[in-house]
Amino acid sequence: MLSPDELEVGRNMEPKEKEKKPKIPRQSMPEQDPRRRRHNYEEVPYGYTDELAKTEASRCLKCKKPLCVTGCPVNIRIPDFIKLIDEGKFIEAAWKLKEQNTLPAVTGRVCPQESQCEAKCILGKKGEPVAIGRLERFAADFERRAGKPKLPELPPPSGKKVAIIGAGPAGLTVAGDLVKLGHKITVFEALQEPGGVLVYGIPEFRLPKEIVKYEVDYLRKLGVEVLTDYVVGKARTVEELFKSGYDAVFIGTGAGLPMFMGIPGENLVGVYSANEYLTRSNLMKAFRFPEYGTAPIRSKRVITVGGGNVAMDSARTAQRLGAESIIVYRRSRDEMPARAEEIHHAEQEGIKLMILTNPVRVIGDEEGRVKAIECIKMELGEPDASGRRRPIPVKGSEFLIECDTVIPSLGNRPNPLIPMTTPALKTTRWGTLEADPDTMETTMKGVFAGGDIVTGAATVISAMGAGKKAAASMHEYMMTGKVTKPVKEEKKEEKEEKK
Ligand SMILES: Cc1cc2nc3c(=O)[nH]c(=O)nc-3n(C[C@H](O)[C@H](O)[C@H](O)COP(=O)(O)OP(=O)(O)OC[C@H]3O[C@@H](n4cnc5c(N)ncnc54)[C@H](O)[C@@H]3O)c2cc1C
Ligand code: SF4
């Protein structure tokens, strides 16, 4: 007999399938012991074994109307790839994922699944959702380790040339989608390695760089040309790209300009933007010094200011570089924007969270080096425009924390270089590019944009979702000279119902 819970979760299944479903708990993923990992850069979770993956995949009800898919910004056919894992067809599962997602090994690791696909999974209504992200990661890793990427058959060349500015998740997604439609793609990347935040921001212990390299190499195998150390706006402008024969341009330059606290003492030696701190460690490989030439920043006590993923990454990096690591955040723990798993991992590794605390000034010694930070206690008032309760300083509660390094991790803004050198592009008051949210067309003909440069700092998967929309519009634009707005899913359903 099925319990009421089981009947509920299986309501859009065939009766025979319902009978077969036993209650299996969500499979946890083995991970490195926190006492060991706080001293190394190896990846924290080990990933599922074949057996764990199959067990987890068997929990999925393979719903006829899968709600999980509605929570995925790139519309991965989630039940289809999970079914393949359930049947032991692991490589086929990865190929299925790659039909929609150019970077499954990346998104399987860094996506906030708990607020996206897994938040919609029907099993989550009464119990624990299917671990979709862990299964995605498993399939993509299996394919990589087996060394069997499936190169799709490409159509004959279209004769059209596309310039993509920025090799982050948005640009790489556009490259993957358009090369498969027969277009010639060149990606221009300012840094020495492609990947955007995936290589310079997110640390090795969360996303090993060999994974990003593998995904970029896959695009290269499909014929995508990637030019590194190439700053568009300096080496060539957008207009010059058109003059040199490109038919369409995509701008995916992200939001790499750090924001500061605006308090006295921020220019002292020992205050680093999170971008600089993380780039030294990740892209410049300071953590592998002296094998690599960049020396790591060795500190005794590091104060990271902020509560997002960037703050968690900075604080966990500081801990691994041997410092005592403290996070100062002005709201409560529940309001921290970082993924729940990242906060949990940071705490497990011994990082101290000082919540409801805000810096007031950084204090230096006679040589201009950081020696302390003055903070004030906060309390929560009424909700503000963001819907979160507004933090209010508690009068007279100022106190000092001795430290030698401060890392403001308050978020990033877009770099103004491209808008400044391309007058036809309109920007918003936040410095982001104006783009149609359905087609990703900018205010300049033939130029499309997506990712953090349009939304401001957001997520990997939202950048990829924008990349997919832009690629579809760019293809239509190059082949027909026009761009039509896609019909929204609800409208499609309305039309079908009327029929
Ligand atoms: C430390 C950190 C941790 C994060 N953690 C997560 C996480 O766990 N999960 C998640 O979903 N999101 C996370 N994010 C956010 C996520 O990484 C971004 O939203 C995403 O990378 C945006 O993708 P993008 O392609 O728009 O831009 P980016 O990834 O920023 O890539 C833009 C690329 O454009 C290049 N570029 C810029 N200007 C030029 C130019 N003029 N010419 C040529 N190239 C140029 C840059 O060098 C960069 O490589 C994190 C961000 C940071 C900083
Ligand atoms: S992951 Fe959840 S919602 Fe999606 S098909 Fe499986 S059981 Fe249904």
Side-chain angles (χ1 to χ4, degrees):
M1 269 288 280
L2 287 167
S3 71
D5 281 10
E6 285 162 322
L7 280 171
E8 173 62 20
V9 294
R11 68 173 179 246
N12 58 4
M13 296 172 65
E14 297 295 339
K16 265 193 189 162
E17 283 175 87
K18 285 180 194 169
E19 307 247 326
K20 278 189 271 169
K21 285 287 156 197
K23 270 221 159 165
I24 301 168
R26 180 174 156 114
Q27 301 298 293
S28 49
M29 194 160 53
E31 58 185 35
Q32 252 199 91
D33 184 322
R35 282 166 303 182
R36 187 175 164 266
R37 71 176 194 245
R38 57 189 287 192
H39 302 296
N40 70 41
Y41 278 83
E42 289 155 33
E43 200 178 2
V44 171
Y46 292 123
Y48 277 155
T49 59
D50 296 4
E51 278 321 303
L52 283 172
K54 282 184 77 171
T55 308
E56 184 59 29
S58 74
R59 296 180 64 228
C60 173
L61 305 176
K62 326 297 179 301
C63 306
K64 283 207 177 119
K65 282 194 176 176
L67 296 178
C68 52
V69 179
T70 63
C72 173
V74 297
N75 287 319
I76 293 176
R77 307 303 309 158
I78 293 169
D80 296 356
F81 98 79
I82 294 184
K83 183 166 179 283
L84 288 165
I85 296 181
D86 200 1
E87 291 166 356
K89 296 178 183 161
F90 303 145
I91 289 189
E92 288 81 352
W95 293 343
K96 176 60 70 188
L97 276 163
K98 284 207 163 163
E99 287 172 12
Q100 253 83 34
N101 179 352
T102 323
L103 309 167
V106 173
T107 49
R109 285 172 165 80
V110 303
C111 260
Q113 292 103 7
E114 65 278 11
S115 57
Q116 297 184 329
C117 52
E118 293 181 13
K120 301 266 177 166
C121 170
I122 195 155
L123 287 186
K125 299 223 173 297
K126 296 274 174 178
E128 289 198 287
V130 175
I132 302 168
R134 293 173 187 174
L135 290 172
E136 183 184 20
R137 168 197 164 122
F138 166 80
D141 285 357
F142 191 91
E143 187 223 38
R144 190 179 68 258
R145 288 186 190 126
K148 285 192 184 166
K150 184 185 181 189
L151 295 180
E153 214 170 290
L154 297 181
S158 67
K160 303 290 180 194
K161 280 174 70 181
V162 178
I164 294 176
I165 311 172
L172 295 177
T173 301
V174 177
D177 281 13
L178 288 183
V179 77
K180 288 184 205 152
L181 292 167
H183 305 302
K184 171 132 185 43
I185 313 292
T186 308
V187 182
F188 298 90
E189 168 52 49
L191 296 173
Q192 67 265 43
E193 269 179 49
V197 172
L198 309 181
V199 291
Y200 80 75
I202 303 181
E204 184 78 14
F205 54 83
R206 264 207 312 130
L207 178 62
K209 303 306 155 224
E210 55 149 328
I211 290 170
V212 184
K213 188 173 175 307
Y214 177 85
E215 305 287 16
V216 175
D217 283 349
Y218 171 78
L219 291 177
R220 284 195 168 112
K221 283 190 188 122
L222 293 178
V224 172
E225 180 186 29
V226 184
L227 302 180
T228 50
D229 297 311
Y230 200 115
V231 184
V232 175
K234 290 270 186 211
R236 255 198 279 185
T237 63
V238 172
E239 276 144 21
E240 284 164 352
L241 287 173
F242 280 111
K243 282 191 195 135
S244 58
Y246 288 98
D247 298 282
V249 172
F250 176 79
I251 305 176
T253 45
L257 201 65
M259 297 204 285
F260 285 89
M261 302 177 283
I263 58 172
E266 268 189 297
N267 290 330
L268 288 167
V269 179
V271 181
Y272 299 92
S273 73
N275 270 24
E276 181 186 348
Y277 194 79
L278 290 169
T279 302
R280 283 178 74 96
S281 178
N282 296 324
L283 187 70
M284 318 291 284
K285 306 267 188 289
F287 72 93
R288 284 167 66 179
F289 180 78
E291 186 191 340
Y292 285 79
T294 306
I297 298 162
R298 300 273 183 216
S299 318
K300 289 202 175 81
R301 184 184 279 161
V302 175
I303 305 294
T304 303
V305 183
N309 286 324
V310 185
M312 296 304 139
D313 286 344
S314 304
R316 294 173 73 194
T317 299
Q319 175 96 357
R320 281 161 172 78
L321 288 172
E324 180 191 353
S325 185
I326 300 173
I327 292 176
V328 164
Y329 180 58
R330 63 192 184 135
R331 298 181 199 249
S332 73
R333 194 181 191 286
D334 290 348
E335 270 115 358
M336 284 188 149
R339 291 185 61 201
E341 186 182 75
E342 302 311 329
I343 303 172
H344 170 65
H345 279 155
E347 283 187 314
Q348 271 188 331
E349 287 162 15
I351 290 157
K352 193 171 167 201
L353 301 186
M354 290 183 82
I355 50 158
L356 291 169
T357 305
N358 206 25
V360 184
R361 66 181 172 125
V362 186
I363 300 164
D365 62 14
E366 50 292 344
E367 286 176 357
R369 294 178 185 280
V370 172
K371 67 168 188 183
I373 187 165
E374 184 179 325
C375 296
I376 187 162
K377 284 278 163 205
M378 310 292 277
E379 60 190 6
L380 293 180
E382 293 301 309
D384 62 15
S386 72
R388 295 178 301 172
R389 290 176 65 196
R390 187 190 301 277
I392 304 166
V394 178
K395 262 195 191 154
S397 65
E398 290 86 349
F399 64 101
L400 291 184
I401 314 173
E402 274 181 31
C403 61
D404 50 359
T405 301
V406 175
I407 310 176
S409 305
L410 309 175
N412 294 305
R413 288 217 175 92
N415 186 307
L417 180 62
I418 294 206
M420 269 165 49
T421 53
T422 323
L425 288 174
K426 277 200 189 149
T427 52
T428 66
R429 65 191 166 107
W430 298 281
T432 51
L433 283 184
E434 273 189 21
D436 183 309
D438 295 319
T439 62
M440 310 319 290
E441 285 174 288
T442 65
T443 49
M444 183 174 175
K445 194 170 179 320
V447 180
F448 299 74
D452 284 4
I453 183 69
V454 172
T455 53
T459 60
V460 170
I461 198 75
S462 61
M464 292 175 68
K468 288 197 91 61
K469 278 190 208 169
S473 304
M474 290 168 82
H475 177 62
E476 190 189 2
Y477 170 78
M478 288 188 288
M479 303 315 283
T480 68
K482 59 182 175 88
V483 179
T484 41
K485 286 207 178 228
V487 183
K488 294 239 164 78
E489 277 307 312
E490 311 93 72
K491 292 234 167 103
K492 263 193 221 162
E493 277 176 18
E494 255 174 50
K495 269 190 188 171
E496 271 164 27
E497 268 170 30
K498 276 187 191 155
K499 269 190 217 162

